[in-house]
Amino acid sequence: MSNKKQGMPQLDGLRGIAVLLVLFSHAANVDYVLFENFRIAGNGSGKIGVWLFFVLSAFLLTNQMLNR
């Protein structure tokens, strides 16, 4: 067994973007605007971010277990 990391950094980055979608959505829901022209509340972006995060997490964990 090698110590080489067998991750997928692109998918980890996409999972990070999903987290940011949720955070920005929650911030906009309480009228805390981080960027003046960037409002994403109310169009389902938080829900999409949660789904994307969980689907990617399940895939990455399953892939890691199958590779071992």
Side-chain angles (χ1 to χ4, degrees):
M1 181 178 284
S2 69
N3 291 333
K4 186 178 177 183
K5 183 179 177 186
Q6 300 206 3
M8 296 182 191
Q10 298 87 357
L11 293 182
D12 285 336
L14 187 58
R15 193 167 54 161
I17 290 172
V19 169
L20 288 176
L21 278 174
V22 174
L23 289 177
F24 286 148
S25 176
H26 283 297
N29 285 338
V30 293
D31 290 331
Y32 182 74
V33 179
L34 299 172
F35 302 106
E36 191 64 34
N37 294 323
F38 187 68
R39 297 190 70 106
I40 59 173
N43 61 3
S45 61
K47 188 183 291 188
I48 291 170
V50 170
W51 289 344
L52 185 60
F53 178 81
F54 281 117
V55 167
L56 284 172
S57 295
F59 172 75
L60 290 169
L61 286 171
T62 302
N63 190 34
Q64 187 177 15
M65 287 189 303
L66 291 176
N67 284 336
R68 288 182 183 223

